Every structure is written in C-alpha cells, then in structure tokens.
Amino acid sequence: MSMKRILLLTLFALLLVTSAVQAKHFSFSEVHNMPQSVEKDYYIWRFLRQRSTTAAEARAIIREANALNSKLKKAYRKKTGSYPNFTPKPIRYKVNDTEKWKNRAQGNYAFKKGISMVQKRQLKLAAQYFNSAYRIYQERWEKDKALFWLYLVTKNNTYLDKLKQSYHINMYTLLAADLTNDKYPRTIITPKISKSSVWGIDAEDPIDWAKMKRKLFSGEVDLDDLAEDCESQETIGMHTYIKARACNFTKSYFPMPYRDFMKKYPVERQALIYAIARQESRFVPASVSRSFALGMMQFMPFLIDHVAKQKGEKIDYDDIFNPYKAIEYADYHLDYLNKYLYHPLFIAYAYNGGIGFTKRLIRKRGNFRPGPFEPYLSMEKMKNVEAREYGKRVLTNYVIYMNKLGKPMRLLPFIKTLTDPYMTDRFRK
C-alpha cells in the first residue's frame, strides 16, 4: 500500500472519529426521564437513530411518545422492522380549543364565500359574507381581516376607523393606519431588560422549555409571576411570550435580542431575521415543533444538514438551539432565497413552504398581477393556509422591525410593489 493511500485512509478515519465525537449520544435512562412533550419526542427520535439503541429499547421508549410523526415512525420501523402499533396519549393542557376551532371553521366558511363573491365581482354579496364572518369570528386578528375586506368592497371608511381601534398588530390594522395617514398602534412593546440571565433556566435546553410550558398551561400559576421568573436577555423569548399570554395578547411584544451579534448584518437582513424569528418561535431558542423543526429559526434537520455541508461544518442538531448559530444558519439560507426573491412576503412563503412552492405560486396566471383587489386577493386565496397566514405575519413583523431599527417604512407602499415582478422576484421576469 502506498504512503499516499495510507495517509488518505488515516485522514478518513480521523474524520469519522471527529464526526462521532461531535454527534451527541443519549442513553435510555436520559430520554426515559424527560417529561412527556414534543421536545421529548425529538430526543426519542434521536435515540432511535443511534446505532447502539437496541430493538427492545426502541419498543420500550416509543410508548413514551407524546405523538407519532412521520420521522418517529420511520426511525422506529428502521430499528424494529415494523411501525408502532399503538396510539399515544398526548399530554392535555388545561386549554379547551374545541369551541374556538368550531367557531373559526364557521367564520372561515363565510369569509371564503366572501372572497368567492369578490372574484365574481358580486360585491354586495361579498360584503354580506364578510359581515357574517366578522360577527362569527372571535379572534381579534380574524375580525380585523373581515373588517378590512368590508372596507375594500364598500370603500366605507367606518371600517378603517374600527380597525384602528383594534388592539391587535396585524397587516390589516397597519394598512388602516396607512390608508388614513395615521400613526401605527401604540400597543407595540419592545422591553428593555438589563439582567443577562436567570438562575435555573437554560434557554438552549428544550427540556427546560418543556417544563416551563407545563407551568404556563397548567392554569395553576400566575403568568405575570412566571414571566418575571424568566426576565433576562438570555430568556427574553420565554419572558415576552408568557407576558403576551398573560394579557391574552392584547399587547404585542416585539423584542430585539442579540443586538451585538445582529449589528453586523444590514438593517434589512436584521429586520427579516427578527420578523421570521418572532413568527417561528417567539424568540425561544429551544423551540421544537411537532415535525421537529428546531431552534429559534425553526430549521428542519435536513436543512441543517444541507447548510452545514455547504459551510463545511460538522454540527450536532442540538447546536441549532444556540441562538447565534441559528441566526448564522438563517442568514446563510436567506442569502440563497434572496438570489430569487426580493420581497419579504415571498421570502416568507419560501422559508415556510419552500422555494419550489413559492415559484409555482407567483408564476401561476393571475396571481400577484395588477388588477382589482390585488395583491390582497392573491394573498387570501392561497390554499396553503399555513404559508398564507405566515407570510402576512412575517411581512407585518418586518415593517415594524424596520421602523424600530431606524429605517422608517410604511406597509401600504411596500405591499403595492407585490404586483411588480421587477421589484419582487426573478421567477417572473
């Protein structure tokens, strides 16, 4: 064997050792002792993927899952040769959403009928449906959506006046202020916190966040007191999220953490990262979604793998719970999206639903083109409900953060550019 081949094999072995060191290892007892939660489900998934985990351990640990997503099922089948044959009993917080979802479904039916009538140019009927939706909806932002469309189809400024009385910060309330040349709502709060950290809470530990959520939804603690317990720069996401719940979201918190780190980016990129982080995780670094999107910027594991490979790094998935690493990876991913998309709304669609989804959406005939009720009609008739609402919220966040970062901006002129491909994307030129 040549010396060159020996050196190459040695180097390859060293790389394998390094990779193994950087990948965390979890024991059965470590995962078993975690409280039932979506965060534990993520660690069950990681445990199932370990070579050292036995089939017997897999069959035991899977019964502790809070819910079975596709990743858990696939990992379990690979380890045991079969899919789980039971239905988990998820933890039940003392929050009854059944009535809320029933109400939303009824309101959505009326609202969709209104949008259908707009497309048919039957504006009087549309107004009737939007008025029904307004009366049915209970959530403030949904009522605001119905009010805005009542204004669009009637041009009655009374609806704008009602919108400006809303406590909720959303696309519609900002547009009402723009259309009447008024100031933006005063319920936007950016807290200034001096304490750097709090004892006993690791902001980057998903299990600490799982324990905090148990207290949050138990109905047995004072939420203002709980928010005070995690009032620090390191735990500002937990603090402001709990404060928002404490007031039933009548106040809107827009924290601006990690300023020293963020200042190295252009203002537009800072605003976009803040806008996405607020929507994705409320700035909680240890967030885990049901599909195992991870960290403050909610990166899917496959995207972490891709970005790490592109950057020539070897990282553990848990590293993305470090908010600075999450910001770094988000900035890298946004550089890619910015090659094709220039408008925050379209970037938000791509961040949530993928760039292929966004390309198909905006290239579809009639979408985001000049015309009556555009671009609002294109924004509302999207079938992907999650991406639809996500985009509107990120866009609203972006405008607010641009203003907070010292670059004055209004939403209305920015929305009007959505029908001009030369100002928004490369796909339609």
Side-chain angles (χ1 to χ4, degrees):
M1 184 181 295
S2 69
M3 182 60 70
K4 183 177 181 180
R5 184 172 177 80
I6 292 172
L7 288 171
L8 286 173
L9 287 172
T10 303
L11 178 61
F12 180 68
L14 285 171
L15 286 173
L16 286 177
V17 171
T18 303
S19 178
V21 169
Q22 288 172 332
K24 287 185 178 180
H25 186 274
F26 303 93
S27 69
F28 180 88
S29 61
E30 278 183 292
V31 180
H32 170 70
N33 289 327
M34 294 175 179
Q36 185 185 18
S37 57
V38 66
E39 292 80 8
K40 178 173 180 171
D41 290 351
Y42 159 68
Y43 285 111
I44 291 175
W45 174 67
R46 295 206 56 178
F47 180 69
L48 292 174
R49 284 160 53 92
Q50 291 176 173
R51 287 188 178 183
S52 59
T53 300
T54 66
E57 288 175 323
R59 283 188 282 270
I61 204 69
I62 198 67
R63 293 193 168 273
E64 299 181 15
N66 185 64
L68 293 174
N69 64 17
S70 60
K71 288 185 177 66
L72 275 173
K73 291 177 182 177
K74 183 178 179 181
Y76 180 81
R77 186 174 186 272
K78 189 173 182 179
K79 183 64 68 174
T80 66
S82 62
Y83 286 112
N85 60 355
F86 76 103
T87 302
K89 295 181 179 179
I91 184 173
R92 298 292 183 186
Y93 295 119
K94 294 181 179 179
V95 178
N96 185 3
D97 285 336
T98 305
E99 195 63 33
K100 183 178 78 173
W101 290 115
K102 181 180 178 181
N103 167 270
R104 178 169 290 168
Q106 294 172 342
N108 285 344
Y109 175 80
F111 185 81
K112 287 177 183 177
K113 291 291 288 185
I115 293 295
S116 177
M117 293 301 106
V118 170
Q119 291 175 287
K120 295 175 182 179
R121 301 296 184 265
Q122 297 180 29
L123 301 189
K124 288 186 178 179
L125 271 176
Q128 291 176 19
Y129 280 116
F130 291 139
N131 189 54
S132 294
Y134 173 75
R135 287 187 286 103
I136 295 169
Y137 279 139
Q138 292 180 356
E139 293 284 323
R140 185 66 249 179
W141 68 270
E142 291 173 317
K143 284 184 171 292
D144 293 341
K145 177 175 67 173
L147 282 173
F148 183 73
W149 274 92
L150 277 166
Y151 163 74
L152 287 181
V153 298
T154 66
K155 297 303 178 185
N156 186 336
N157 285 351
T158 301
Y159 297 117
L160 295 181
D161 293 335
K162 285 185 178 180
L163 271 171
K164 290 193 294 182
Q165 294 170 17
S166 172
Y167 61 79
H168 200 273
I169 305 299
N170 55 58
M171 184 180 83
Y172 312 103
T173 52
L174 295 194
L175 286 171
D178 286 345
L179 288 164
T180 56
N181 298 311
D182 208 343
K183 295 179 180 179
Y184 281 165
R186 294 181 178 180
T187 52
I188 301 171
I189 300 171
T190 300
K192 294 181 180 179
I193 299 173
S194 57
K195 189 188 297 184
S196 60
S197 62
V198 291
W199 183 86
I201 302 175
D202 183 351
E204 298 177 24
D205 184 351
I207 300 305
D208 270 16
W209 176 228
K211 292 174 181 176
M212 182 66 72
K213 284 193 294 182
R214 282 202 169 192
K215 294 179 183 177
L216 172 61
F217 294 109
S218 68
E220 299 170 358
V221 298
D222 183 282
L223 294 187
D224 285 313
D225 289 343
L226 189 63
E228 188 175 341
D229 290 343
C230 50
E231 186 177 354
S232 76
Q233 294 174 15
E234 195 175 79
T235 53
I236 193 169
M238 295 182 186
H239 171 72
T240 53
Y241 176 61
I242 297 170
K243 289 289 286 184
R245 292 199 69 91
C247 68
N248 198 25
F249 298 98
T250 55
K251 297 176 182 177
S252 297
Y253 290 85
F254 285 79
M256 296 174 64
Y258 321 115
R259 289 304 304 139
D260 290 344
F261 189 77
M262 289 289 285
K263 285 177 182 177
K264 70 179 183 178
Y265 300 115
V267 170
E268 290 80 4
R269 178 56 58 86
Q270 291 183 49
L272 188 55
I273 290 174
Y274 277 145
I276 292 172
R278 185 180 186 274
Q279 184 56 33
E280 288 285 0
S281 69
R282 290 280 181 156
F283 295 99
V284 175
S287 289
V288 177
S289 78
R290 292 181 182 275
S291 59
F292 302 158
L294 307 175
M296 189 176 78
M297 303 303 296
Q298 290 290 274
F299 267 80
M300 294 297 287
F302 78 86
L303 188 55
I304 296 173
D305 291 337
H306 174 74
V307 174
K309 183 178 179 180
Q310 293 294 310
K311 291 173 70 66
E313 295 180 351
K314 293 277 187 179
I315 73 166
D316 186 273
Y317 289 148
D318 275 17
D319 292 341
I320 212 70
F321 296 130
N322 179 316
Y324 300 100
K325 179 59 73 173
I327 291 168
E328 177 192 330
Y329 271 44
D331 178 63
Y332 188 93
H333 184 50
L334 289 171
D335 279 344
Y336 165 70
L337 297 181
N338 272 152
K339 292 178 182 178
Y340 308 97
L341 304 164
Y342 320 137
H343 198 289
L345 179 68
F346 293 162
I347 293 170
Y349 289 158
Y351 197 96
N352 179 265
I355 197 164
F357 157 77
T358 307
K359 180 179 180 180
R360 292 189 296 273
L361 173 72
I362 63 180
R363 292 185 70 178
K364 187 175 181 179
R365 186 177 179 181
N367 279 356
F368 296 99
R369 302 298 196 278
F373 303 104
E374 287 293 345
Y376 309 110
L377 192 56
S378 291
M379 295 171 73
E380 299 291 2
K381 67 184 183 182
M382 286 173 58
K383 292 182 180 180
N384 186 328
V385 178
E386 181 183 338
R388 181 184 72 208
E389 299 307 322
Y390 179 92
K392 288 187 282 188
R393 290 168 185 172
V394 169
L395 180 59
T396 302
N397 294 348
Y398 179 80
V399 170
I400 289 170
Y401 277 118
M402 283 292 285
N403 282 286
K404 286 191 168 291
L405 289 164
K407 200 159 185 178
M409 173 179 286
R410 304 293 288 195
L411 179 57
L412 182 58
F414 205 44
I415 275 191
K416 288 180 178 178
T417 64
L418 285 166
T419 57
D420 184 351
Y422 287 93
M423 298 184 70
T424 60
D425 63 276
R426 282 181 58 186
F427 293 131
R428 298 184 292 171
K429 293 181 180 179

